[in-house]
Amino acid sequence: MPLVCSNTKTKSSSHSYEGISKKSLMRKFLVTGGAGFIGSAFVRLLLDEVPACEVINFDALTYAGNLDNLKDVDESRHLFVRGDITDQNAVLAALPPEVDCLVNFAAESHVDRSIASAGEFLRTNVLGTQVLLDAARARGVRRFVHISTDEVMGSLPEAEEQYFTEDSPFAPNSPYAASKAAAEHLVRAARHTFGLDTVITRCGNNYGPRQFPEKFLPLMLANALHDDPIPVYGDGCNVRDWIYVEDHCRAILLALEIGRPGGVYNIGARNQRRNIDVARSVLDQLNKPHSLMTFVKDRLGHDRRYAIDPSLAESELGWRPRETWESGLEKTISWYRDNSDWIARARSGAYREFYSRQYGTEVGAQ
Ligand code: NAD
Ligand code: TYD
């Protein structure tokens, strides 16, 4: 069923986010993975920007999920349900018939973990997505929004002006990327076969508050704040396309409100950077020496370059990022500076085992 907002101005304007959600007919959301990094930012955005909406937040709280990520939200409009997206009965029990939109963030999300062991990635990212699609159909959910990644399109050559578009072929290179590609195929099939109203968004590397310190940027921050070495894989010249998490979430909100049924949108802030340059920026902002960078053994199958062409999201959704790299990094760094308890909890327990397996050294070892 076509959606929602007849705000034609949105389609022609270049920066027209404001006001759309106030007209949205979308009121009741089920968000999966909403206690993780991006999902929790999205829940916060929904509660702030869509008046009177209600959010059911369904999350298994794996190592990456953390209810502290949502401790400041309006609890009268936010219901947290702990559950696994591969558990059909649990999903159906959490999904009342009047839900307008299901937004699927829940995933195993770290490439290095998928290289070490792929099973959980297939279970959650592939089987879990199918369970959600079936449940959405069974309950008559109006729109299914699936959060995917640029990594389904593989790696771009380093030196050429080439970008991922929505028509780029799939070429996933890690078990994580392959599981996300499989999930996209299942979403597409649910639309083609059953007419489910679906939208897929594909984003690059997010950064911002509350990102678990297994990913490069928060790992660097957490280590550098403790004067610990920063592990840089290979020659450090791999390129990623960085986006501030709230900008990503605003693009998702627009896509769910005014995106085409069956639409796929690449979301990127035109912000390509080499890892080594990202590391230098972080160290400079923290007033820490570049000598904290330590070059370590490269990741197996390490994708060389990601670069997103966001033209379609810009023209069809009227989306633009609000943060520059500098402003986003400043917000991110000050959040990590101010939340040392959050970092300490994230770096304790099972993280210590993960870290020594992954890097062959203890967290905090000099
Ligand atoms: P994250 O690892 O921080 O959070 C994932 C969340 O999913 C956690 O709260 C976890 O508890 C939950 N989860 C995991 N398995 C589950 C299961 N079986 N059932 C229910 N909940 C489960 O991930 P993130 O970085 O916030 O990423 C969110 C989504 O965005 C993922 O789908 C990821 O593939 C995609 N994405 C992430 C990035 C990025 O840079 N982080 C970029 C593009 C796309
Ligand atoms: P990561 O945050 O794992 O995201 P992705 O692999 O999904 O892009 O890694 C970002 C980049 O940083 C990637 O090129 C790998 C690199 N990297 C390091 O150099 N050292 C690290 O310790 C990690 C985790 C990543």
Side-chain angles (χ1 to χ4, degrees):
M1 187 169 53
L3 281 208
V4 149
C5 181
S6 57
N7 186 352
T8 48
K9 188 163 153 259
T10 305
K11 303 216 176 211
S12 56
S13 150
S14 66
H15 195 345
S16 48
Y17 173 79
E18 272 77 13
I20 292 172
S21 51
K22 304 220 163 37
K23 294 185 185 164
S24 174
L25 300 180
M26 296 285 194
R27 284 288 175 266
K28 198 147 190 164
F29 298 86
L30 187 133
V31 174
T32 69
F37 164 50
I38 308 175
S40 64
F42 185 73
V43 167
R44 194 172 296 105
L45 184 73
L46 276 181
L47 293 169
D48 286 350
E49 306 256 344
V50 182
C53 77
E54 288 170 41
V55 180
I56 301 166
N57 181 353
F58 187 88
D59 192 303
L61 296 182
T62 67
Y63 76 91
N66 181 351
L67 281 178
D68 281 353
N69 292 345
L70 288 166
K71 63 180 179 204
D72 50 349
V73 302
D74 175 358
E75 281 305 324
S76 69
R77 295 191 291 131
H78 173 242
L79 174 67
F80 181 79
V81 179
R82 186 166 190 179
D84 191 314
I85 60 166
T86 64
D87 180 344
Q88 188 179 28
N89 292 332
V91 170
L92 285 170
L95 187 58
E98 69 274 17
V99 163
D100 296 303
C101 186
L102 190 160
V103 191
N104 180 27
F105 290 90
E108 289 293 330
S109 67
H110 191 38
V111 171
D112 290 325
R113 290 185 193 254
S114 80
I115 292 169
S117 174
E120 274 303 294
F121 289 73
L122 300 190
R123 201 182 69 82
T124 288
N125 301 1
V126 185
L127 297 177
T129 299
Q130 186 59 47
V131 168
L132 294 174
L133 289 163
D134 290 341
R137 283 202 301 123
R139 289 286 188 261
V141 168
R142 289 170 55 212
R143 173 158 272 195
F144 188 102
V145 177
H146 179 74
I147 311 308
S148 189
T149 167
D150 58 357
E151 299 188 33
V152 298
M153 297 172 280
S155 184
L156 291 169
E158 194 164 8
E160 292 168 33
E161 279 295 296
Q162 223 178 301
Y163 294 86
F164 293 134
T165 72
E166 288 74 6
D167 296 326
S168 297
F170 274 24
N173 287 325
S174 69
Y176 162 68
S179 71
K180 294 295 288 187
E184 277 207 40
H185 285 312
L186 293 172
V187 174
R188 178 191 156 87
R191 168 155 182 78
H192 184 84
T193 306
F194 302 110
L196 188 68
D197 183 337
T198 61
V199 171
I200 293 173
T201 60
R202 291 182 191 146
C203 192
N205 288 61
N206 285 229
Y207 67 102
R210 305 177 185 83
Q211 186 172 27
F212 193 76
E214 64 188 354
K215 305 284 186 340
F216 187 45
L217 209 136
L219 186 141
M220 279 193 289
L221 278 170
N223 283 18
L225 284 168
H226 291 87
D227 296 311
D228 296 337
I230 288 173
V232 178
Y233 293 160
D235 63 3
C237 293
N238 303 67
V239 173
R240 294 294 182 263
D241 198 341
W242 295 90
I243 183 170
Y244 190 66
V245 62
E246 230 174 80
D247 282 327
H248 178 199
C249 290
R250 286 181 192 285
I252 295 168
L253 186 49
L254 278 167
L256 83 78
E257 290 187 316
I258 59 169
R260 263 174 303 115
V264 177
Y265 296 96
N266 285 359
I267 314 294
R270 301 181 190 274
N271 183 33
Q272 292 178 68
R273 287 175 195 272
R274 295 185 309 169
N275 292 339
I276 198 170
D277 298 323
V278 172
R280 286 182 184 131
S281 305
V282 167
L283 291 168
D284 289 345
Q285 288 225 18
L286 292 173
N287 279 321
K288 300 285 182 183
H290 290 188
S291 57
L292 280 181
M293 271 190 266
T294 315
F295 290 89
V296 300
K297 190 165 159 280
D298 207 354
R299 170 187 283 173
L300 291 178
H302 194 175
D303 282 342
R304 195 61 176 169
R305 174 173 164 255
Y306 303 146
I308 293 165
D309 177 355
S311 304
L312 187 69
E314 290 170 355
S315 62
E316 272 195 21
L317 307 176
W319 173 82
R320 292 285 188 286
R322 293 181 178 182
E323 301 296 339
T324 62
W325 169 243
E326 289 73 22
S327 67
L329 196 57
E330 202 178 310
K331 285 185 177 181
T332 306
I333 289 177
S334 60
W335 189 88
Y336 280 90
R337 270 192 207 278
D338 294 345
N339 287 277
S340 50
D341 289 357
W342 188 98
I343 299 179
R345 274 199 299 280
R347 290 191 355 143
S348 64
Y351 181 78
R352 305 186 79 80
E353 284 161 41
F354 159 77
Y355 197 95
S356 55
R357 260 197 328 271
Q358 180 64 26
Y359 297 101
T361 169
E362 300 300 310
V363 179
Q366 293 281 355

